[in-house]
Amino acid sequence: QVFPSQDPLDRADFNAVEYINALFPTEQSLANIDEVVNKIRLKIRRLDDNIRTVVRGQTNVGQDGRQALEEAQKAIQQLFGKIKDIKDKAEKSEQMVKEITRDIKQLDHAKRHLTTSITTLNHLHMLAGGVDSLEAMTRRRQYGEVANLLQGVVNVLEHFNKYMGIPQIRQLSERVKAAQNELGQQILADFEEAFPSQGTKRTGGPSNVLRDACLVANVLDPRIKQEIIKKFIKQHLSEYLVLFQENQDVAWLDKIDRRYAWIKRQLVDYEEKYGRMFPPEWCMTERIAVEFCHVTRAELSKIMRTRAKEIEVKLLLFAIQRTTNFEGLLAKRFSGCTLADGAVKKPEVPPPSTNPFLEDETGAETDEIVIEKSDTDKPKKPKVPDNPFHGIVSKCFEPHLYVYIESQDKNLGELIDRFVADFKAQGPPKPNVDEGGAVLPSCADLFVYYKKCMVQCSQLSTGEPMIALTTIFQKYLREYAWKILSGNLPKTTSSSGGLTITSLLKEKEGSEVAKFTLEELCLICSILSTAEYCLATTQQLEEKLKEKVDASLMERINLTGEMDTFSIVISNSIQLLVQDLDAACDPALTAMSKMQWQNVEHVGDQSPYVTSVILHIKQNVPIIRDNLASTRKYFTQFCIKFANSFIPKFINHLFKCKPISMVGAEQLLLDTHSLKMVLLDLPSIGSQVVRKAPASYTKIVVKGMTRAEMILKVVMAPHEPPVVFVDNYIKLLADCSTDTFQKILDMKGLKRSEQSSMLDLFRLRLPAPPPGGDSTGSLSLSAPTPEQESSRIRKLEKLIKKRL
């Protein structure tokens, strides 16, 4: 369809029959059929005429197109010709402009050269006059005028650098250099004369002359300025070297305050006498202080090497404290702009603290430390990040910080011994169900001391001493783990003998079976909680140490081994709790396996051994849960480990119950279901608050105990016909092991001949393993879901009640 049309004949779904019916809806309408046919024929003729006209019109299109193309080509040729004419005219115009402006360009060059010549002659005149004036003023020591003139002469001389091949220019340049050298020597001589070795100073004129001389030195070679500064500072500190010689009493660390008091007096004296003589940008006060720091560091290093055996911890900390205070004072007074000239590098600053391990440092720093004096108990806050003077003197103490490290080693050793003695004297923590398993107070004391040491050492040094301190930390973390935690875990004793049916029936409390007392259980939980606290805090300690130490040494700090040690303590504690409860249940399971199950005549309530197991669980688990309330995840681990230990043991004892009668199997099935319900409720047993057991634990219990129920169901099934029995076994247990099948047959009490034929049939009926797969593929024949099993158990209970 090219154009839209309302004609029914143009519709895509045109139906001739419908169209005709529309034209002739009734028989009476057929009377004018001839008229309709004539109209259609007329319409057909019109369409033919239109088609014929369109077809004839298309024959002329090709001829018209060729004609239009020829006309376009002619127009393009004409346009090309016009463009070429324009280009030729433009080239001619350009040539004419060049001829017109040739003379103007020459005049422009001449003007530029003339201007340059005039400027150069003016500079030459200024240079010649300036050099003469400079030489005259130098002889008369008119340094004030020389400072301004010399700078101008030097600037003008720079314009003549490209004319140095001209003898007169070169001569002027040499005269300027000679004048500069003469000025330098003259100024140095004036300073030498003004500041002789005695340190006296002429009064009156020379101070103004020297002040102007310093302005001239700013323009001269920088070496002149450095020489003036060096000689002045050396002369200024000459008295210091004499007063604090190595053989003087005031040179030792106990009188280190006097050194800093001396320099403070000297800086005040300098400001009063010479403060205006040197330009402010020379920062002479700071330079004197920095040079004093360098000299002091060298002198202290030398005297400490000589008298290393006399250095004690208190003395060393006192000296470091006074020194860091002095460095902080320098940072407040000076900007540190002159330090770039020296070899002192800006210390690397640790990132700001975000870890809770060192929160409230100021509060912790008031705690008592054995080795510190009262004035070092409150060290400065960790070094200010913007202090450029940190370490400028105190670096000299780093080689001797081993004294501090050894002292901390000794103190920590004594602290651990004190913890051990306190534990022996005070005994294990008293059981307190309300508070749960309390963390041993000694571990908090240990980490508070660690924090104190770390903060203090980071103020002394963030280099190798921090690594040495970390090694000490590691040593005593391990000692704490083994001596305080593992060393105090109760020792396991030999398991008690098995109980008979009579003893189980007589047993009321069952307390004689449990190996650990209430106090021992609480102690294990307390040690577990302590190890968990130590594990988390050690991780925070590692992060904080990495923040404090230099970036280049960060990789050498690794407390993973110590964290693993605490993890081992946690694992051992959980294992002890599991073994204790497991061992308490052993006599009951042994009694179960020794019962004569083939003689059971009726099914009653749960058996005595089940009551005994439940009793031990109700005795131990609430105590453990309450004492591990703060570490819930480890209580879950205990439950999972106990389930993984108890259920396989229960199944093994189940296999020892042989032979079993039908009624005995029903009783065992009821007992198994009771144990299953107790185990599912284990995490919240005896608790007022009922919490849903973790899914991971529930899955283990359901899987293990359902297997035990399936074993008993197979035992209950009749062994005739054998094929049905074998297929039922494979379906319920999905166990392709012949050993398990053999145990089932033993439980049923079958004769050896019957067992042999059954085993042969079992091997034949085993499903073929999938190609390339393992025989475990048969596990797809898994046991029924727990819901199905619970419904079956309820039916069995109803059956038992009817029989009773």
Side-chain angles (χ1 to χ4, degrees), residues 339-353:
L339 291 176
D341 302 335
V344 180
K345 294 183 179 178
K346 210 168 183 180
E348 293 183 8
V349 181
S353 174

Side-chain angles (χ1 to χ4, degrees), residues 226-242:
Q226 295 297 332
E227 188 70 20
I228 294 172
I229 293 173
K230 182 179 178 183
K231 285 186 176 180
F232 181 82
I233 294 177
K234 183 178 180 182
Q235 184 269 340
H236 215 69
L237 295 178
S238 58
E239 179 188 353
Y240 173 70
L241 293 173
V242 174

Side-chain angles (χ1 to χ4, degrees), residues 335-360:
S335 64
C337 60
T338 63
L339 291 176
D341 302 335
V344 180
K345 294 183 179 178
K346 210 168 183 180
E348 293 183 8
V349 181
S353 174
T354 56
N355 193 286
F357 181 74
L358 277 184
E359 286 180 355
D360 195 20

Side-chain angles (χ1 to χ4, degrees), residues 253-254 257 314-322 375-376:
L253 300 180
D254 58 345
D257 278 343
K314 293 181 180 179
L315 181 62
L316 182 66
L317 291 177
F318 168 77
I320 293 174
Q321 185 64 45
R322 292 295 186 265
D375 54 354
T376 58

Side-chain angles (χ1 to χ4, degrees), residues 17 134 165 189 203 236 267 366 428 441 448 527 606 610 720:
V17 176
L134 184 63
T203 58
H236 215 69
L267 292 178
T366 58
V448 166
I527 289 175
Q606 61 189 27
V610 176
E720 295 292 344

Side-chain angles (χ1 to χ4, degrees), residues 53 139 146 181 211 227 334 337 533 596 654 674 743 756:
T53 304
R139 287 191 293 271
V146 167
N181 291 334
R211 182 177 61 202
E227 188 70 20
F334 304 116
C337 60
Y533 171 82
Q596 302 297 321
L654 207 59
S674 299
K743 292 176 182 177
S756 177

